[in-house]
Each structure stands twice: as structure tokens, then as C-alpha cells.
């Protein structure tokens, strides 16, 4: 019963993704018919406001529910909708979204008397807006003709793609440090200082970890430019490094080419989101943070911003390391299917669904990490950023660069990447010989 | 027949050896449990053993009653008899060796207890004596085994009303006859007897009679078990919740010494406290009920205004109103002062000093409770505990005393228009004084209880009862007697002397003594010759091993915090006689 | 679920590189997640004895009630007599034993001519018997102290939540519930009232059992403690 319900719920989520992407393609196609570029406006609506925001909002309750499952609990189920049938059902805790929203909206927006009023009100906006704008360059689906118009499932395709992400992401630090400063509260200020120092430290490793991918695909774009056809990273991964059979093989995904880069980027980006185990700027129940003085929806902006960051980070990782909306194999075979050929928007919706399922998986991985790892101490955070991630990133860059120069087909890079993955897997599935081995080793010396 | 005519007498047989001369001439020297004891001739073994700390258990013995020796609990081994001797009945003799805790004695005690408990209903759960019951105490100490009775117990009447104040449970009775002896010997009204034979023997009143003596509740006090019960106290509290404050009954001028058994801010009963000079171990039934006005129907908030306009006021406002109205009248003829003979010495010292110093009066009208009929033993006609004190203090302060009747006529003639009254009692029917009080242009009253006089007062200040403050009375024979504070005053009530001191401060700006009644005594008692030699601090000590049960009400049932950690006799103020 | 970890993390590359250990930890969390996601919750067995997939230990409380174990000290109840009145005789033993001082009792007396026989025999009863459940520490001392089997904690429920503090003050009518307790030794089975019964003199009350021991159901003698030295 419960297994069937869970499976149905997962299938329902995938179906929702499909419907959403189909609607996005059709709406974009209609909009392109009005004037050129109007499709990008509907993409803002569908990708940023519908997909990212709805996922982030659902995450507020999903995090609680999932963490409950990871901790052998039931999780939130008390909020009910006061309608005849709904009254007796917890609906998986979803009504908590409504309850939280009403709570945040109806609470007093308290401003401390000694706070700098303008900056205090500005900080959550800055913090949220910077995060919210990040998704603009991430493609959620292929460029396809819909209603005789070419429709790109991306908001913007600047040629500086990844650099835009670095630039905008580093703006978020203003929000947090302003929040800490403008609250005129020494604890908030300390939280803000912790947050900004952490974010600035990890900016470096964040950028460095992706340079390997940039030189591997010879671009900083994420999406393919629909006008010039300059290949973006997402589409560049849609090829096989080695093929076994007609349409099967090892795709040129970033995870295989740059596993070290992936780990570094994941760690650095995770630190940017300020979530556990990097949540020492503010850990709600233990450490006072930079938004201690905020209440109501201003606090809500900080909180929802974190979840938006989680979704967008998942999208970016999917686009860079997991082939974006591309299937690992069999994509060419499927694309020849009549339904997909006659109705390209169905194909687009299908690939978009692939993108969002991948992203959702990365989101889940992030929550898994949050509820698995203990929090870093402040010095450990700095040590990890400067003394481990940064040198590892540099080393990864040198090795990758050399391999790419030596073999531009990226196969050498992939071999090294697969070897690295294999080493990690081997280490994971083996364990060090037990303590009993030590006296034996000592005896061998004599 | 003359002595000469007798033939030569055969030599007398050698009689018993002459007893050795007493070790301490005029006293008897003997040995109890290895200790040498020197007692007066005629002292019985129970008292002799108590003097060296060997407690001999007993039920029927009472030091103020004749000896019955029928409970057999006090049997001890003595050197001049092969059988055990009842310790209560046997007087000590020279050289006697007494052992009170041999195996034989203990076995006999156990047997006696088993016999006494054989038909006892063991309904301690509903017995008011539980907690102060000698059956319980001795069972735990000497018997401590399950009943071996096979078959049902004898059933008798469990609630027979003997009189207006006493009810008996004949099943619990062990037939020690203390009550019968008390009624015959002390109360001199032999209303109780023992009827029936064998296991149907029981204590009862004579047919057609009732236990209606004014001293009937003393039988409840001396009953060692829960057979005789006070109808007033019955089922109202368990004995172990009560704390005891040494106090003095304020019911009449005898001034019987009592323990006021209280819990929280309520008194539950008076128990007589031994005082050879005043009440010995007894007190009257009427006096036992005088705790009720001290806790019931109390005035707890200052009242301002008169009649329909009367309202509750904070203390400061009441003081301000009273002083502003008294100020123009101070030292004037129409202002009179009335003091009650029921107030304590400290109250009167404070209030009369204020009356003389700040109000400038030279005469005090004496009020107090109306008198009653005296009885043959303790109760006196004057129902005020401190008339002697009032007279002594007024004399010492140079104030003249005038009877209450003069006050009424002075008010009616118009020569007194304002009255400052210490104490709300009047010696006539209150309803007859109310019309006179209505004519007063200013009536400042310090009273402990609500009543028609309070309604007539322009300012009514709530006074503390004598249980709520330390103090002393001078009883009829001129003895100064101290009483101890049981619990803090209710509501806004405070003692008369404190009201007087605060009024003096408001009126004249003088700083009166407001710290404690002890300070009042220290400051003012020296001028009164009758009070001069009294050891105020040392009198009526609280029989506690360590000072201080926190008397504030704390728990749901009014138990003070930490109550159960206090050992029984400390909390109970001593053991039963 | 446990795995060996070296005492010094710098000795082992698995632990010094951190990543394999992270993956192991995530695998544990993920396994718990999936088994709880798909597993059916088993409410009938205790958590530690469950065999199914789901190990969720909590319950959706008001809809699902936990099965309290044998001997659970639940909400108090005043045990009724078989005529419906409380067995309690207001002896204050529970109030005396109560460490939280949450029991308030006022005793009163039944009419000697009460229509119920038990009330004619035991004259004392609680006019007020109040338990402040907010103050109660559920220690069960009151049950231990009761000489009349008049208070029990066998309701197998805890104090239900209320909206006001006053609602947690439980008077007699909220406490008096459950099945009546009947003991053959109850005094009202032995006599008609508290007055003196008609004389039916039997010698039985003078028959004393063997010294020093009492007969109990086991048939074995029970030694009696005597404090004779």
C-alpha cells in the first residue's frame, strides 16, 4: 500500500515535470509568434517562477518530510485543510506549505529601532534576487521548432554563460553581509562576517573547479547559442566517448571527464548555499546568524532563498556534469520515433523532464548530505576551502589541461576520470585492515 | 493483764532483717535500667523512668487522674517480685531494681498489644487519631506482626453521638477508662461509664443521659486511641498535616495555655498545653471553639466610607483618609478613644501610646466582648483575655479608664463626636450600639472581623488576630502569658500596634515602632510595672528541635514546603500527656 | 550498520581523503530513507522487534494511539464501589505520599441513615478529591499508598491535552470511572451499618491462630518479623 503510494507519488512528480515542460514549450512557441524573443519571456515565467520557485517551495516541506524518513520519523502531518475530504488526510504534509506561507505573510515585519532601516529592508531583497537570477543561463530543454518558431528552453544565452553565474553568485554575499551589518546586532554582525568570509573563500575554489570543464569543451556557455550555433556545455556532452553498438556507449558527461572537478564544485557550491554541513553562518537552532533580527516574510526571503539556491545548484550541476537534458544513451534512437518527430514539443517536454528528474535527484543528494554530515567548525571550513579545495582544484586544472592538450578527443581525460572514480569506489567498498594487522606489520620489521 | 504477770517471754524469733537505711534520707534511691534514680517517696515507676529517659509504654495512666492499671501495657520487671509489676501503679521503694526492656517485658508488651488489638477494627484510614495514636506507635515499636485472629471481630457501634461535642467509636476503644475517670474526678460530672461484660464491654453514657459537660472534649484529648472524637474536628484534617503553635486561648480571662494546630493560614483546633498554674492539662469546650472567629468572617481589606458608600481601599489610602480626618480633632474634647480588653499587651501599648501622644486623650473607654456565665472549673465570667493588661497599661500611661456605658451616653449627649476604636468588640449587643455609632461624625475602627460596626466606620482597618502575631496577655490572676505567631496575617490585616504606629507617622510625622511586636515590647513595656519582669523572648518556647517551619501556604492542601522532612514532635509541639 | 574506523584518521587514506567515508555515510542515510519511504509502518510490534522495511518509530498521535506496556502508569482513576460511589475514604494517604503535592482532599461524613449500605458502614468520604494533573509527576506513589485500593493508574492513557490550566484540575466526577473493585474484606460486606449490630455472640473472635506464622495460599509458612532483641 505504502510502496504503491510512494511509487505513484514519484510517477506523479515526473508527470508534473512533463506537463510543465510541455506547457512551457507550447507557450514559448505561441509567444514567439507574437514577436521574436517573446518566448524568452515565457521561459522566465515557466522556468524561474514555476519550476524553480515551486520546487523550492515544495522543498520547504520536502526537506522536513525527507529528513523525517532519514531519521525513522513520520514527519510533518498535522496541518490539514478544513474541507470535507481533506480534513482527515495529511496529504504528505503538503498543507504545511500553506501554513508556513500564511504564517510568514501574517507576521509582523519587525525592524529593530537601532537598525539601519533602508539597508535592513534591502538585504533580504539583494540576497534573494541574486540567487533567483542565477537560473537564467541554465538550459532546461533543447532548442526545437514549435509552431514554426525556434524555441530555446533557456532564459538567456550570453556567450559568457558560466561567468554570469560566478558574477551573480558572488553578489549574494552583499545580501548576507548587509543583513548582518544593518541589524545593528553584534551576533547578527558576527554571523554576517562568518557568512561573507565563507562565501568569499569558496568563490575561488568554485571558479577553479570548473575551469577544467571550460577547457575540455572549449567554451564557457551552458546553452547552445540558437543563432550562431556555438555549442554550449550541455549539448557538448551529448556525444559518446566510446560507443558500444549503434546507440550505446559512454557519454562525454562532465562527471566522467572531471570527477575531481565535480567533487570540488559540489563542495564549494554547497558551501555557497550555507546549508549543513556548511551552515555555520546560521544554524537555526544552535548558532545565531545574520538574519536573527528578521521576521515574517523578510526572514522568509532568506529561508526560501536557500531552497532556491538548492534547486539552482542542482540545475547547474545537472547541466555541467550530468549532460543537462540529454539521455546518457539511446537518445538518437528515440528521437527518430514518429511521435517525437511530428510533435517536437513532446520531445522537448520529454528531454526537459529528463533534466528536471536529474536535478531533483541532485536536490535529494544535497538533502542526504545535509542529514548525514556533521557541521564543520569555522576553522575546518576555512581549512577545507583554502588548503584542500584550492590546491586540489589547481592540480586538477594542470592535469586536465595537460591531458586535453595531449588528446583533444577527451578520451585520455575520461580514462583518468574513470580511474579516479574507480579509486574512490574501491576505497569505498574496501576498508583498512583491522587493528590486528598492525602488530603483524611491526613484527615484519624485526 | 499486766506485763509483769507474764512469764518470761521466749526469745523472739529473728524477724526479717531491718531494711538498710535510705541512701538519700527523705528520698528514695533505686535503679532503673542500670541508672541510679533518686525520687520523692510516692513517685511511680513511669515518672521515675521518664526522668532518666526510659519510656515505659502505657495507655490508661495519666498523671492527673487516679491510677487504674487496667491496660497492663506498663508491666516491668522489678527486683522484689517474681511477677511483672504495673509501672504506673507501683511506687518506687528503696533499693528497688527495675528493668524496663528485658526480653520478658517485651514479650509481655507484645502479648498485651495483641490482646488490645485483637478486636480493634484497624480502620486507621478513617480514624482521626491516626498519626497521634498510641496503638499505632506501640504496634510499630513492640508488636509488629500480623493479626492471628481467626474468624470475625466483635462489632460495636462505630458512630454513637455522646453529646454536643463528642462522638464515640466503641470498636476502637481499649477500655482504658481514662475518660470515665476524667469525668468523675476532674469534671466532677460522672456522665460516662463502662457497660457490658467481656468482649461486649464498652464506654457509653448512662441511659437517657448525654455527655454535655463543658469539659467533654478533654476526654477526646486524653483518649489514647481514636475512640472518642471531637465533632468539631472530626474528618477536617489529618494530624500529621498540622503544625502546632504555642498560644493562649482568648475565650475568657483564664487564659488557658493551648497549642493552636494550624495548616496554611487556618487553625483546625486548640489543644490544651500543660500549665500547672493556669489550666493544668484541661480546657473548656467553649474555649476550644474560640479559634473560629479568628479565622472566619475576617476583615481583610481596609474599608473607607460609611454605609452605602463604603468601599475597599488600599492601605495607604485608608491611612491617609484616617489621618486627615483625625488631625483636626487631635487633642479636642469630642475625640474619644475606645480600647478592647481582648487586645494583646503589645497592641495596647502601641495603640494607647498613640492615643495619648498623637491624639492627646487622657481617658480611654473600655470595650471588649460581653461577659457570660462562669463555670466551676476554668471558664470565667469575663470573656476578655486581657482586661488586666489594659488596666495595667492605662495606669502606667496615665490614662483614665471609663466604662463603655459612659461612651454610649457621651455619644448620645453629643459630647463625643469622634471615636478611634482599637478592637471591634463591644460589651453590649452590637445592634444596640449601632444607633450610637451612627451619630458619630468620625469613626475610625481597627477590627479583626466583619460586622455591623465595620459598616458604620468611616475608616475600618483590618486587624490581625492574636494567632497572627507574637504577643502576650495578662490573665485573671495577673500572670503574663506569651503566645506565639502561627501564620502571617490574612490579606491586608496587620496588628493594632502597627496600625497605630502608621497612623502616628501619618499624623505627626513621628516614627513609631513598626518593626515587630518584640520591638514594641522592648520600647514600651518597661514603663508598665506589671510587665517589667516578664521574660518575653523565653516564654512559651516553640517545642521544635530547629527553628522554623516556613508557615506560608504552598501546596494544594496548604502543606508548607518541606513539611514531611520535619520530625513529628517538632511539628506537633510535643507529645501527648 | 557499523563499520571499523581507524583510531587515527591520518593513517588511512579512506578517512584522510574524506570522500569514501562520506559516501558510506550517505549510503546509510539513503538506505534508511528508501526503506522508510516504501515500507509499511508496523504499529503492532515494538520498534526494536520490527521485521518489516519501515523502522519509523513515531506515530501520528491523535489518530494512532501507542500500545502502552503492561504496568504502564497512566491517568489516575478513583475506583468505584459496586454501588458507584468512590471506594476512597479520604484518609489522605495519597496526599501524604505525593511528592508533587498535587492531590487535594476534603473529607466529609455520610449520613448514618444513607440508603447505601457501604455508606452506612464507612462514614468518611471525599467531599472533594482533586488531582492537579499538571503538577503530577506520575510516580504512582498514591497508588502504592492507598490502603483501600481506591486510586489506580490502570487507565492506559495519559492526561489528554487541554486548552486551559483549569481543565487539568481533575475533580471527583472526572476521576471516578472504570470498573468497580470488590474485595470480600470490604467492611460493608460484613455489617449493615456503623451502629452496633444485634448480638450474635460467637466464640470465633477469641480463637487465635498458631504463634508466629500466618497461613497463606501457598501453603508454606511465612516467617513473621519480630523486633524482639
Amino acid at each position: 500500500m505504502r510502496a504503491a503510494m510512494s511509487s505513484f507519488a514519484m510517477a506523479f512528480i515526473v508527470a508534473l515535470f512533463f506537463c510543465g515542460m510541455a506547457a512551457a514549450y507550447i507557450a514559448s512557441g505561441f509567444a514567439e509568434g507574437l514577436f521574436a524573443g517573446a518566448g524568452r519571456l515565457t521561459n522566465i515565467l515557466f522556468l524561474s517562477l514555476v519550476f524553480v520557485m515551486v520546487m523550492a517551495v515544495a522543498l520547504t516541506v520536502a526537506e522536513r518530510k525527507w529528513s523525517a524518513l532519514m531519521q525513522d520519523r513520520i514527519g510533518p502531518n498535522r496541518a490539514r485543510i478544513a474541507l470535507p475530504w481533506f480534513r482527515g488526510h495529511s496529504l504528505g504534509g503538503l498543507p504545511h506549505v500553506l501554513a508556513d506561507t500564511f504564517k510568514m505573510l501574517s507576521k509582523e515585519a519587525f525592524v529593530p529601532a537601532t537598525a539601519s532601516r533602508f539597508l535592513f529592508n534591502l538585504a533580504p531583497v539583494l540576497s534573494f534576487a541574486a540567487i533567483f537570477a542565477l537560473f537564467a543561463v541554465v538550459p532546461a530543454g533543447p532548442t526545437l521548432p514549435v509552431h514554426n518558431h525556434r524555441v530555446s528552453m533557456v532564459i538567456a544565452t550570453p556567450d559568457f554563460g558560466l561567468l554570469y553565474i560566478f558574477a551573480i553568485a558572488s553578489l549574494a554575499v552583499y545580501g548576507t553581509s548587509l543583513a548582518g551589518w544593518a541589524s545593528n546586532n553584534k551576533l547578527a554582525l558576527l554571523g554576517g562576517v562568518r557568512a561573507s568570509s565563507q562565501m568569499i573563500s569558496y568563490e575561488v575554489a568554485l571558479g577553479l573547479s570548473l575551469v577544467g570543464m571550460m577547457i575540455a569543451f572549449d567554451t564557457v556557455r551552458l546553452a547552445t547559442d540558437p543563432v550562431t550555433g556555438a555549442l554550449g556545455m550541455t549539448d557538448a556532452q551529448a556525444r559518446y566517448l566510446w560507443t558500444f553498438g549503434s546507440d550505446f556507449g559512454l557519454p562525454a558527461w562532465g562527471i566522467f571527464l572531471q570527477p575531481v572537478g565535480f567533487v570540488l564544485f559540489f563542495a564549494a557550491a554547497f558551501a555557497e548555499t550555507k546549508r549543513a554541513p556548511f551552515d555555520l553562518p546560521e544554524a537555526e537552532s544552535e548558532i545565531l546568524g545574520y538574519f536573527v533580527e528578521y521576521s515574517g516574510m523578510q526572514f522568509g526571503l532568506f529561508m526560501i532563498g536557500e531552497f532556491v539556491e538548492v534547486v539552482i545548484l542542482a540545475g547547474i550541476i545537472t547541466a555541467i556534469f550530468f549532460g543537462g537534458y540529454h539521455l546518457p544513451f539511446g537518445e538518437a534512437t528515440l528521437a527518430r520515433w514518429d511521435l517525437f518527430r511530428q510533435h517536437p514539443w513532446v520531445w522537448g517536454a520529454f528531454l526537459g523532464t529528463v533534466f528536471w528528474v536529474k536535478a531533483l535527484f541532485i536536490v535529494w543528494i544535497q538533502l542526504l548530505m545535509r542529514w548525514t554530515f556533521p557541521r564543520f567548525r569555522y576553522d575546518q571550513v576555512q581549512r577545507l576551502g583554502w588548503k584542500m579545495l584550492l590546491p586540489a582544484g589547481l592540480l586538477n586544472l594542470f592535469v586536465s589541461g595537460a591531458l586535453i592538450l595531449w588528446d583533444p578527443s577527451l578520451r585520455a581525460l575520461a580514462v583518468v576520470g574513470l580511474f579516479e572514480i574507480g579509486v574512490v569506489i574501491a576505497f569505498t567498498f574496501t576498508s583498512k585492515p583491522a587493528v590486528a594487522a598492525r602488530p603483524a606489520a611491526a613484527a615484519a620489521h624485526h | 493483764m499486766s506485763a509483769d504477770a507474764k512469764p518470761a517471754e521466749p526469745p523472739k524469733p529473728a524477724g526479717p532483717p531491718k531494711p538498710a537505711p535510705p541512701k538519700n534520707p527523705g528520698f528514695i534511691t533505686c535503679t532503673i535500667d542500670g541508672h541510679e534514680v533518686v525520687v520523692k517517696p510516692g513517685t511511680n515507676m513511669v515518672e521515675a523512668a521518664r526522668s532518666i529517659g526510659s519510656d515505659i509504654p502505657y495507655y490508661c495512666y495519666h498523671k492527673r487522674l487516679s491510677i487504674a492499671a487496667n491496660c497492663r501495657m506498663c508491666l516491668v520487671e522489678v527486683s522484689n517480685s517474681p511477677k511483672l509489676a504495673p509501672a504506673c501503679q507501683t511506687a518506687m521503694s528503696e533499693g528497688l531494681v527495675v528493668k524496663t526492656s528485658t526480653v520478658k517485658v517485651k514479650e509481655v508488651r507484645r502479648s498485651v498489644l495483641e490482646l488490645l488489638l485483637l478486636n480493634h477494627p484497624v480502620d486507621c484510614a478513617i480514624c482521626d487519631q491516626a498519626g497521634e495514636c498510641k496503638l499505632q506507635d506501640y504496634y510499630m515499636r513492640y508488636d509488629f506482626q500480623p493479626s492471628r485472629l481467626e474468624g470475625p471481630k466483635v462489632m460495636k457501634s462505630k458512630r454513637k453521638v455522646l453529646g454536643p461535642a463528642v462522638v464515640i467509636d466503641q470498636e476502637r476503644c481499649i477500655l482504658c477508662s481514662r475518660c470515665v475517670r476524667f469525668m468523675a474526678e476532674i469534671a466532677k460530672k460522672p456522665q460516662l461509664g463502662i457497660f457490658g461484660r467481656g468482649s461486649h464491654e464498652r464506654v457509653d453514657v448512662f441511659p437517657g443521659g448525654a455527655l454535655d459537660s463543658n469539659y467533654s472534649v478533654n476526654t477526646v484529648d486524653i483518649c489514647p486511641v481514636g475512640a472518642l472524637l471531637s465533632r468539631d474536628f472530626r474528618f477536617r484534617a489529618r494530624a500529621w498535616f498540622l503544625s502546632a503553635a504555642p498560644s493562649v486561648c482568648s475565650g475568657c480571662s483564664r487564659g488557658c495555655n493551648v497549642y493552636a494546630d494550624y495548616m496554611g493560614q487556618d487553625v483546625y483546633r486548640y489543644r490544651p498545653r500543660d500549665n500547672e498554674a493556669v489550666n493544668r492539662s484541661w480546657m473548656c469546650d467553649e474555649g476550644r471553639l474560640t479559634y473560629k472567629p479568628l479565622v472566619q468572617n475576617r476583615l481583610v481589606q481596609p474599608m473607607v466610607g460609611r454605609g452605602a458608600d463604603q468601599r475597599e481601599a488600599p492601605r495607604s489610602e485608608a491611612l491617609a483618609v484616617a489621618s486627615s480626618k483625625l488631625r483636626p480633632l487631635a487633642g479636642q474634647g469630642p475625640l474619644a478613644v475606645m480600647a478592647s480588653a481582648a487586645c494583646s499587651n503589645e497592641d495596647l501599648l502601641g495603640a494607647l501610646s498613640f492615643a495619648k501622644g498623637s491624639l492627646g486623650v487622657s481617658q480611654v473607654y473600655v470595650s471588649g466582648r460581653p461577659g457570660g456565665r462562669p463555670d466551676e472549673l476554668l471558664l470565667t465570667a469575663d470573656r476578655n483575655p486581657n482586661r488586666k493588661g489594659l488596666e495595667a497599661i492605662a495606669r502606667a500611661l496615665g490614662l483614665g479608664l471609663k466604662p463603655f456605658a459612659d461612651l454610649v451616653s457621651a455619644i448620645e449627649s453629643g459630647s463625643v463626636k469622634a471615636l478611634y476604636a482599637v478592637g471591634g468588640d463591644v460589651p453590649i449587643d452590637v445592634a444596640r450600639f449601632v444607633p450610637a455609632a451612627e451619630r458619630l461624625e468620625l469613626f475610625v475602627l481597627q477590627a479583626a472581623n466583619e460586622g455591623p460596626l465595620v459598616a458604620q466606620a468611616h475608616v475600618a482597618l483590618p486587624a490581625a488576630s492574636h494567632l497572627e502575631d507574637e504577643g502576650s496577655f495578662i490573665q485573671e490572676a495577673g500572670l503574663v502569658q506569651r503566645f506565639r505567631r502561627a501564620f502571617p496575617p490574612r490579606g491586608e490585616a496587620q496588628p493594632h500596634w502597627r496600625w497605630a504606629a502608621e497612623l502616628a507617622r501619618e499624623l505627626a510625622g513621628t516614627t513609631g515602632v513598626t518593626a515587630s511586636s518584640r520591638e514594641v515590647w522592648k520600647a514600651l513595656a518597661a514603663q508598665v510595672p506589671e510587665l517589667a519582669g516578664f521574660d518575653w523572648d523565653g516564654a512559651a518556647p516553640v517545642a521544635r528541635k530547629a527553628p522554623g517551619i516556613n508557615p506560608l501556604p504552598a501546596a494544594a492542601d496548604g502543606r508548607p514546603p518541606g513539611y514531611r522532612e520535619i520530625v513529628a514532635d517538632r511539628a506537633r509541639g510535643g507529645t501527648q500527656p | 550498520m557499523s563499520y571499523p574506523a581507524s583510531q587515527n584518521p591520518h593513517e588511512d587514506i579512506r578517512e584522510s581523503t574524506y570522500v569514501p567515508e562520506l559516501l558510506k555515510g550517505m549510503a546509510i542515510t539513503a538506505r534508511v530513507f528508501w526503506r522508510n519511504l516504501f515500507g509499511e509502518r508496523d504499529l503492532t510490534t515494538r520498534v526494536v522487534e520490527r521485521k518489516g522495511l519501515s523502522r519509523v518509530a513515531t506515530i501520528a498521535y491523535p489518530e494512532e494511539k501507542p500500545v502502552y506496556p503492561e504496568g504502564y502508569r497512566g491517568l489516575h482513576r478513583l475506583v468505584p464501589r459496586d454501588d458507584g460511589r468512590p471506594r476512597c475514604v479520604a484518609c489522605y494517604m495519597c496526599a501524604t505520599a505525593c511528592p508533587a503535592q498535587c492531590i487535594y482532599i476534603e473529607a466529609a461524613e455520610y449520613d448514618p441513615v444513607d440508603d447505601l449500605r457501604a455508606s452506612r458502614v464507612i462514614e468518611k468520604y471525599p467531599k472533594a478529591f482533586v488531582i492537579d494533573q499538571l503538577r503530577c509527576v506520575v510516580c504512582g506513589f498514591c497508588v502504592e499508598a492507598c490502603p483501600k485500593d481506591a486510586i489506580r493508574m490502570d487507565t492506559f492513557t495519559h492526561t489528554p491535552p487541554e486548552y486551559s490550566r483549569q481543565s487539568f484540575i481533575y475533580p471527583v466526577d472526572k476521576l471516578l470511572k472504570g470498573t468497580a473493585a470488590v474485595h470480600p474484606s470490604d467492611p460493608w460486606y460484613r455489617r449493615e451499618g456503623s451502629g452496633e449490630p444485634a448480638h450474635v455472640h460467637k466464640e470465633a473472635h477469641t480463637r487465635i491462630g498458631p504463634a508466629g506464622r500466618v497461613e497463606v495460599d501457598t501453603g508454606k509458612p511465612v516467617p513473621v518479623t519480630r523486633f524482639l532483641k
Side-chain angles (χ1 to χ4, degrees), chain B residues 556, chain C residues 73-78 98 100-104 129-139 142 151-153 155 157-162 164-172 174-177:
Chain C
R73 289 198 298 266
L75 194 62
H76 314 76
R77 73 178 175 107
L78 277 181
C98 180
Q101 307 194 353
C102 69
I103 303 180
Y104 174 79
F129 189 104
V130 179
I131 297 181
D132 184 346
Q133 298 287 3
L134 284 182
R135 218 181 242 266
C136 175
V137 297
V138 211
C139 64
C142 49
I151 185 167
R152 291 189 191 173
M153 299 174 86
T155 46
T157 175
H158 51 260
T159 312
E162 306 273 4
S164 72
R165 284 173 182 274
Q166 191 56 40
S167 313
F168 286 97
I169 309 293
Y170 276 54
V172 174
K174 275 177 97 170
L175 289 168
L176 184 66
K177 60 190 172 190

Side-chain angles (χ1 to χ4, degrees), chain B residues 415-475:
Chain B
S415 60
V416 167
K417 292 202 171 73
L419 181 63
Y420 168 66
V422 182
D425 302 308
V426 287
I428 56 172
D429 188 13
V430 179
R432 282 170 50 207
F433 182 62
V434 167
E438 275 176 349
R439 297 167 60 101
L440 287 169
E441 288 163 16
L442 172 63
F443 186 14
V444 177
L445 174 66
Q446 297 175 4
N449 294 82
E450 298 270 8
L453 272 194
V454 170
Q456 295 306 323
H458 293 91
V459 180
L461 304 171
S465 75
H466 81 281
L467 291 170
E468 295 165 353
D469 192 24
E470 311 266 348
S472 60
F473 290 139
I474 301 182
Q475 57 96 262

Side-chain angles (χ1 to χ4, degrees), chain A residues 9-196:
Chain A
M10 291 164 74
F12 184 69
I13 289 169
V14 174
L16 277 184
F17 284 156
F18 185 85
C19 295
M21 285 311 287
Y25 269 106
I26 292 170
S28 194
F30 273 121
E32 283 290 332
L34 297 177
F35 58 92
R40 301 299 177 90
L41 296 180
T42 61
N43 285 352
I44 293 177
L45 192 69
F46 274 92
L47 295 185
S48 280
L49 288 181
V50 175
F51 270 93
V52 173
M53 276 311 287
V54 168
M55 277 176 78
V57 167
L59 260 186
T60 59
V61 70
E63 171 167 73
R64 281 176 267 169
K65 201 77 185 171
W66 292 355
S67 66
L69 289 173
M70 291 168 196
Q71 295 162 357
D72 284 344
R73 291 187 288 114
I74 292 177
N77 63 352
R78 298 322 304 164
R80 301 287 163 92
I81 298 171
L83 292 176
W85 182 82
F86 293 96
R87 197 169 285 146
H89 295 78
S90 62
L91 299 176
L94 276 178
H96 279 268
V97 173
L98 294 176
D100 288 352
T101 312
F102 285 131
K103 184 186 80 171
M104 298 232 183
L105 287 175
S106 56
K107 270 193 174 180
E108 181 194 1
F110 176 78
V111 182
T114 52
S116 161
R117 203 175 184 85
F118 174 71
L119 293 180
F120 186 85
N121 291 329
L122 181 67
V125 178
L126 260 187
S127 174
F128 183 76
I131 296 161
F132 195 61
L134 275 182
F135 199 72
V137 294
V138 179
T143 302
L144 291 169
V146 179
H147 301 299
N148 305 318
H149 301 287
R150 288 192 68 77
V151 168
S152 298
M153 205 28 65
V154 65
I155 294 165
T157 52
D159 52 4
F160 47 82
L162 268 179
L163 301 184
Y164 168 84
I165 287 179
F166 294 150
I168 300 296
S170 56
L171 277 182
V173 75
Y174 288 104
T176 55
S177 51
L178 264 188
W181 171 256
S183 296
N184 198 9
N185 175 326
K186 59 189 171 210
L187 299 167
L189 179 62
L190 286 172
V193 168
R194 282 199 306 274
S196 29

Side-chain angles (χ1 to χ4, degrees), chain B residues 4 70 75 109 142 234 243 260 319 324 383-384 409-410 420 447 476 509 515 549 564:
Chain B
D4 302 342
N70 60 10
L75 292 173
R109 280 178 192 163
Y142 302 119
R234 185 165 151 92
S243 303
L319 279 171
S324 68
R383 299 295 160 85
N384 294 294
S409 55
Y420 168 66
E476 177 195 49
I549 301 172
R564 257 166 283 119

Side-chain angles (χ1 to χ4, degrees), chain C residues 22-100:
Chain C
L22 293 187
L23 291 178
K24 283 182 190 174
M26 283 168 67
I28 292 170
T29 315
R31 188 162 73 234
V32 173
F33 176 86
W34 289 110
R35 71 189 302 163
N36 285 335
L37 180 63
F38 287 107
E40 200 75 40
R41 269 187 308 132
D42 181 5
L43 292 173
T44 55
T45 40
R46 289 166 53 208
V47 177
V48 290
E49 292 162 1
R50 284 194 193 149
K51 297 279 182 273
L53 268 180
S54 173
R55 299 287 158 85
V56 169
T58 53
I59 54 167
Y61 162 62
E63 291 86 16
E64 304 166 4
K65 297 276 166 62
V67 182
Y68 289 128
E70 195 82 1
Y72 175 80
R73 289 198 298 266
L75 194 62
H76 314 76
R77 73 178 175 107
L78 277 181
V79 184
R81 302 190 304 227
D82 50 5
D83 58 20
R85 297 216 187 138
R87 286 180 63 85
C88 176
V89 297
C91 72
Y92 291 74
M93 282 298 149
C94 45
T96 306
C98 180

